[in-house]
Amino acid sequence: MGTADVTEETAGGEEKPWGEVTPEAARRLLVAAVEAFAERGYHATTTRDIAGRAGMSPAALYIHYKTKEELLHRISRIGHDKALEILRSAAEAEGSAAERLSAAVRSFVRWHAGHHTTARVVQYELDALGAEHRTEIVELRRQSDAAVRRILNEGVAAGEFDVPDVPGTTLAVLSLCIDVARWFNTEGRRTPDEVGALYADLVLRMVGVQK
Amino acid sequence: MGTADVTEETAGGEEKPWGEVTPEAARRLLVAAVEAFAERGYHATTTRDIAGRAGMSPAALYIHYKTKEELLHRISRIGHDKALEILRSAAEAEGSAAERLSAAVRSFVRWHAGHHTTARVVQYELDALGAEHRTEIVELRRQSDAAVRRILNEGVAAGEFDVPDVPGTTLAVLSLCIDVARWFNTEGRRTPDEVGALYADLVLRMVGVQK
DNA sequence: ACAGCCTCTAAGCGCTTGCTCACCCTCGGG
DNA sequence: CCCGAGGGTGAGCAAGCGCTTAGAGGCTGT
């Protein structure tokens, strides 16, 4: 089955939300689930609600997904993959540590703001996953942590950053970015780009870079 | 069995865990609910689970609380009151803006780490409240926002801080502090005091204060 | 044409949920 | 001694839950 790669790079303009989910009906169900989970939370969402949003009968869900938890897992997995990829591609680019940190925070935050419904599910419904699926996802988060910590360490080694507590600052930077998914609102006055720029600036200050 | 052994005293203030909840049985139920909500979330917690943790039958809950949602409201209200009071007393103290900001962040974070089970319910189960209760709580959060923004504005006016975007930075500071409740773990290697100190330092850097 | 397959539905099963109700216990004041 | 009041319980109700099953409908290849 699975054709592969999850990576569909958002080049410049177009963006197809969940293109990698292949049977069209399965994609509709998944999109409906993301909306419902983000709005009411996993446990408060019923399978009937998901199917209803997708314009299908409750039973249709079980043709494409074994359980409601599998739906959450798929969402969480794809979302984490995408978030991690975004972080990494910025972190592994060329340039000074300050430039890479700035780019990583900017794009990571922009994703959390722009896809805040998905991000909310991805970041805040982790406990609803079964034990096995959860450990799989936790491993992905460890990799996000490692990516950020690496930039900080390199910045310190190069004398660019002044960071007394690298693990603690790594935690704080990621926490700051992730929490964007909680408060960001499309009707608010800031665009994802603006929040990304603001946060990149704030994080550079946290590591002692003057502008 | 359960004696009132839960007394965690924070030096510097008279504080009994949930002393203001008056019938003893009601207090036990509320403490049980905080634990359960923090562990599994509001919607995944059953009234039977809460009653069971308090050593009572499921029906006992309804002698002291009209609904499960009222329990959440009581917890949320008391928790927000306490968090806001902690923020305010630091914010309205004497001293420079930098000193007050540092103290506010330190104590706010310390509370979120030390009482992370309560804080998790208070900060992340807001959507589970009914409409009326939610707007009441949202007003309290607006006041937290105002308290922090005031310090930032005063610091900028006094020339202590360099903050281009005061509302945005206010949001970021509060977001950073609040998210502590999500990741903090008692078994981790940091104490609430250490996290508070680290975060106070990071926030001072965010507003452009050199140490 | 039609068999084989996949998608989707109507109906519903077994179970759990939030919550209720009739009744029992304990206890202080006459 | 009885009394009434209020905290507590066992049993259980109506509703809603995740999920299953039997079968209808519509493609495709021969």
Side-chain angles (χ1 to χ4, degrees):
Chain A
M1 47 196 336
T3 66
D5 216 312
V6 206
T7 56
E8 41 141 4
E9 310 240 330
T10 66
E14 55 70 44
E15 187 180 353
K16 194 170 156 206
W18 293 94
E20 60 266 58
V21 183
T22 34
E24 166 61 16
R27 202 192 64 94
R28 261 164 51 218
L29 284 164
L30 193 135
V31 169
V34 169
E35 282 174 17
F37 291 163
E39 245 174 60
R40 311 143 111 85
Y42 174 81
H43 289 291
T45 299
T46 69
T47 55
R48 282 167 239 263
D49 182 20
I50 297 169
R53 285 177 194 242
M56 299 166 121
S57 88
L61 198 152
Y62 294 91
I63 294 161
H64 303 281
Y65 303 95
K66 226 160 51 184
T67 62
K68 179 179 153 190
E69 194 265 354
E70 188 193 316
L71 245 176
L72 176 62
H73 172 59
R74 282 273 234 285
I75 294 167
S76 198
R77 175 74 215 222
I78 294 172
H80 269 99
D81 280 344
K82 191 109 59 183
L84 179 55
E85 179 211 310
I86 286 169
L87 236 191
R88 273 192 170 151
S89 73
E92 291 167 1
E94 305 271 315
S96 69
E99 286 165 350
R100 280 177 288 137
L101 181 60
S102 175
V105 168
R106 176 184 271 95
S107 57
F108 196 60
V109 164
R110 194 163 42 197
W111 186 82
H112 277 80
H115 299 77
H116 66 283
T117 60
T118 302
R120 211 165 291 175
V121 178
V122 160
Q123 300 292 359
Y124 292 102
E125 299 291 353
L126 212 117
D127 293 343
L129 287 170
E132 296 169 25
H133 287 159
R134 183 164 53 244
T135 57
E136 175 196 329
I137 299 292
V138 164
E139 169 59 20
L140 290 177
R141 305 184 132 223
R142 235 184 35 75
Q143 292 180 33
S144 295
D145 193 87
V148 173
R149 182 158 44 217
R150 187 153 165 269
I151 309 180
L152 291 192
N153 276 325
E154 290 171 357
V156 169
E160 291 183 58
F161 297 164
D162 166 32
V163 177
D165 181 352
V166 169
T169 305
T170 302
L171 195 56
V173 168
L174 275 171
S175 166
L176 189 66
C177 296
I178 285 171
D179 203 50
V180 169
R182 183 179 55 89
W183 60 259
F184 188 85
N185 187 340
T186 322
E187 294 147 24
R189 41 198 127 96
R190 289 165 207 279
T191 66
D193 270 325
E194 288 166 356
V195 179
L198 170 63
Y199 270 50
D201 177 55
L202 289 172
V203 167
L204 284 188
R205 288 161 172 251
M206 283 167 66
V207 299
V209 173
Q210 255 82 278
K211 290 198 84 173
Chain B
M1 49 178 79
T3 56
D5 56 329
V6 205
T7 48
E8 56 233 353
E9 296 261 328
T10 53
E14 73 310 324
E15 191 183 350
K16 348 166 218 172
W18 292 95
E20 58 266 63
V21 183
T22 34
E24 165 63 17
R27 201 192 65 93
R28 261 164 51 217
L29 283 164
L30 192 136
V31 169
V34 169
E35 283 173 18
F37 291 163
E39 247 172 58
R40 311 144 113 85
Y42 174 81
H43 289 291
T45 299
T46 69
T47 55
R48 282 168 239 264
D49 182 19
I50 297 169
R53 286 178 195 240
M56 300 163 121
S57 88
L61 199 153
Y62 293 91
I63 295 163
H64 301 282
Y65 302 95
K66 226 161 52 184
T67 63
K68 179 180 153 189
E69 194 264 356
E70 188 192 316
L71 246 177
L72 176 62
H73 171 58
R74 282 272 235 284
I75 293 168
S76 199
R77 174 75 215 223
I78 295 173
H80 269 98
D81 280 344
K82 191 108 61 184
L84 179 54
E85 177 209 311
I86 285 170
L87 237 191
R88 272 192 171 151
S89 73
E92 291 166 1
E94 306 272 317
S96 69
E99 285 165 351
R100 280 176 291 137
L101 181 60
S102 175
V105 168
R106 177 183 272 101
S107 57
F108 197 59
V109 165
R110 194 162 44 197
W111 186 82
H112 277 80
H115 299 76
H116 66 281
T117 60
T118 302
R120 211 165 291 174
V121 178
V122 160
Q123 301 292 359
Y124 292 102
E125 298 292 352
L126 212 118
D127 293 341
L129 287 169
E132 297 169 23
H133 286 160
R134 183 164 53 244
T135 57
E136 174 196 329
I137 299 293
V138 165
E139 169 59 21
L140 291 177
R141 306 185 132 220
R142 236 185 35 75
Q143 292 179 33
S144 296
D145 193 86
V148 172
R149 182 157 45 216
R150 188 155 166 267
I151 309 180
L152 291 191
N153 276 325
E154 290 170 358
V156 169
E160 292 182 57
F161 298 163
D162 166 32
V163 177
D165 180 351
V166 169
T169 306
T170 302
L171 197 56
V173 168
L174 275 171
S175 166
L176 189 66
C177 295
I178 285 172
D179 202 50
V180 169
R182 183 178 55 89
W183 60 258
F184 188 85
N185 187 342
T186 322
E187 293 146 25
R189 41 196 127 95
R190 289 166 208 278
T191 66
D193 270 324
E194 288 166 355
V195 179
L198 170 63
Y199 270 50
D201 178 54
L202 289 172
V203 167
L204 284 187
R205 288 160 170 251
M206 283 167 67
V207 299
V209 173
Q210 258 80 278
K211 287 197 84 169

